């Protein structure tokens, strides 16, 4: 029987998360290793934020990182290994963040999704999120 667990990220997870987060252009539209080992470590060390992994038999198959503010939460990163998609993992990760928010008395959550990522847009809508205005993301490397 497969053992499914959602838990907080630990420093032992960094190398696998690095591979998972940088294997796709679905997050921010390019493959320039946006999530360095140092960035992932910094996220883990932020005490007010929540960084979770979804494991099946101890193998990390998904992750979510949410920045917690006083009155709202920003879901900054969410990725599920392509081999494990369409199994409800993203839904369970999002619902866990909602549960943590509720326990902290926070009732507003927002997240950004690539315009081309229709599956994630459908999931957000299915979970009751309201679609906002589209935006364009700019980034600058080498500064």
């Amino acid at each position: 029987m497969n053992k499914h667990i959602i838990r907080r990220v630990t420093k032992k997870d960094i190398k696998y998360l690095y591979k998972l987060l940088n294997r796709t252009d679905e997050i921010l539209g390019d493959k320039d290793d946006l999530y360095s080992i140092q960035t992932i470590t910094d996220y883990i060390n932020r005490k007010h934020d929540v960084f979770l992994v979804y494991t099946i038999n101890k193998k990390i198959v998904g992750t979510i990182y949410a920045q917690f503010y006083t009155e709202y939460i920003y879901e900054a990163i969410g990725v599920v290994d392509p081999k494990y998609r369409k199994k409800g993992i993203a839904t369970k990760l999002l619902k866990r963040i909602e549960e943590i928010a509720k326990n902290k008395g926070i009732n507003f959550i927002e997240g950004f999704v690539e315009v081309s990522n229709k599956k994630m847009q459908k999931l957000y809508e299915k979970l009751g999120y309201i679609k906002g205005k589209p935006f364009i993301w700019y980034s600058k490397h080498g500064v």
Side-chain angles (χ1 to χ4, degrees), residues 112 131-135:
F112 294 106
K131 188 182 218 176
K133 295 179 182 179
F135 72 96

Side-chain angles (χ1 to χ4, degrees), residues 8-118:
R8 285 194 177 263
V9 169
T10 68
K11 291 186 180 186
K12 292 178 185 176
D13 301 325
I14 292 172
K15 287 183 182 176
Y16 184 77
L17 287 171
Y18 175 80
K19 290 177 188 173
L20 181 65
L21 292 170
N22 289 300
R23 74 183 296 170
T24 179
D25 62 357
E26 294 171 328
I27 299 175
L28 291 177
D30 60 31
K31 291 185 176 182
D32 288 337
D33 287 352
L34 293 172
Y35 297 100
S36 67
I37 297 292
Q38 185 59 55
T39 297
I40 296 166
T41 302
D42 289 346
Y43 288 162
I44 292 171
N45 291 331
R46 291 183 182 167
K47 302 297 180 207
H48 297 291
D49 297 343
V50 175
F51 201 174
L52 304 173
V53 289
Y54 190 103
T55 65
I56 300 176
N57 298 330
K58 298 185 180 182
K59 178 182 180 182
I60 296 172
V61 298
T63 188
I64 191 166
Y65 173 70
Q67 297 170 330
F68 277 64
Y69 297 93
T70 306
E71 296 181 347
Y72 74 98
I73 295 169
Y74 168 58
E75 292 170 352
I77 305 168
V79 179
V80 175
D81 184 315
K83 295 179 217 160
Y84 293 89
R85 292 182 183 167
K86 303 295 283 174
K87 298 180 184 314
I89 293 169
T91 298
K92 290 173 185 167
L93 286 166
L94 285 166
K95 286 186 176 273
R96 179 62 60 89
I97 294 295
E98 291 176 3
E99 179 184 307
I100 294 168
K102 186 176 181 179
N103 290 337
K104 291 181 176 275
I106 298 171
N107 63 9
F108 181 76
I109 300 174
E110 66 181 3
F112 294 106
V113 179
E114 276 283 326
V115 173
S116 62
N117 192 342
K118 301 297 182 194

